[in-house]
Amino acid sequence: MIPGLVGSLGVGAGLGLLGVDPAGALVAAVALAAGARDRQIVIFGLVVLIGTTLFGVVLTVAVGERLARLDWASVLPSGALRAGLEAGAALLLAVWAVTRVVRGSTSSEPRVMGAGATGAVVAGMLFIGTAATDPSFAALIVLAGREASPAGVVVANTVWTVVSQAPLFVVVLAVLLGRHRAAVDTLQRLRERWAPRVRVLVTVALGLGAVVLLVDVLSWAAGSFLIGR
């Protein structure tokens, strides 16, 4: 039992280091800078930390072992279906990029967290879903799924969450200790300085993504895909 738990701890810690994600901490810090209450940040952090762990445990128990045996090549779209999906994605990215250009810098920044405790809970629950896009999380589900012990599954997912969300954990701890105001003021100054440049970079990245997908579709029409043949 103990060696199994130690292995689960190692898997969770190792993959957690590979998947360290500052996004949750940035969401919390931006919300603070925008006027969110300390209580909202604590609630958001707890929902993310506890919810991500539970999400991982449920997925591990439900599909972890099956994912390890799945032949991914057999389920990926190909041919005309893949071309259609890429064309649709290219269109969405292009529209998104054009919308950002049209709106320009006069548009207000979206709220990252709604008002009150309910807003914090909703934001936290939405953020939990982003774990599914992390390759280290997918690897965790597969590797932890081979663990026969329920305790091992819980340990692996808990450690991965704490390590990967360490920046958010630190922000929540700083809020509880009342040590976060200076950091928030610094973040606000950096945000005002760099936000316009980041906005341009994101818009350019969206446009480039649309172009790459469109070129791949045209390449397929001419004979074969360029990406992942």
Side-chain angles (χ1 to χ4, degrees):
M1 179 84 174
I2 298 300
L5 291 180
V6 172
S8 298
L9 191 153
V11 167
L15 291 174
L17 286 173
L18 293 176
V20 170
D21 181 11
L26 289 175
V27 168
V30 170
L32 280 169
R37 296 179 180 274
D38 294 356
R39 179 167 171 262
Q40 286 180 268
I41 303 306
V42 173
I43 292 174
F44 170 76
L46 290 177
V47 169
V48 171
L49 294 172
I50 296 174
T52 302
T53 300
L54 293 176
F55 182 43
V57 169
V58 170
L59 283 181
T60 301
V61 172
V63 299
E65 188 176 353
R66 297 178 186 176
L67 287 176
R69 300 195 306 263
L70 182 63
D71 180 10
W72 290 100
S74 65
V75 298
L76 292 176
S78 59
L81 176 59
R82 172 180 166 180
L85 292 175
E86 287 190 358
L91 178 61
L92 289 176
L93 290 176
V95 170
W96 191 357
V98 171
T99 300
R100 291 173 64 88
V101 171
V102 171
R103 290 173 62 187
S105 59
T106 58
S107 60
S108 59
E109 291 293 329
R111 291 180 62 87
V112 295
M113 194 176 298
T118 300
V121 171
V122 171
M125 293 181 68
L126 291 175
F127 190 83
I128 290 171
T130 63
T133 65
D134 190 329
S136 70
F137 182 73
L140 173 74
I141 299 306
V142 173
L143 295 178
R146 299 172 180 172
E147 173 60 56
S149 166
V153 172
V154 173
V155 167
N157 280 278
T158 300
V159 173
W160 182 88
T161 300
V162 172
V163 174
S164 66
Q165 293 297 328
L168 175 60
F169 183 82
V170 170
V171 170
V172 172
L173 184 62
V175 170
L176 290 173
L177 297 176
R179 303 286 183 86
H180 59 289
R181 290 301 173 189
V184 170
D185 291 341
T186 300
L187 176 67
Q188 183 66 17
R189 290 194 297 270
L190 291 174
R191 184 187 177 201
E192 292 173 354
R193 178 178 179 181
W194 291 100
R197 302 177 189 180
V198 172
R199 180 180 179 82
V200 171
L201 288 176
V202 170
T203 303
V204 170
L206 291 171
L208 288 176
V211 170
V212 169
L213 290 173
L214 181 59
V215 169
D216 198 37
V217 171
L218 294 176
S219 176
W220 168 78
S224 64
F225 289 106
L226 286 176
I227 303 174
R229 299 180 187 179

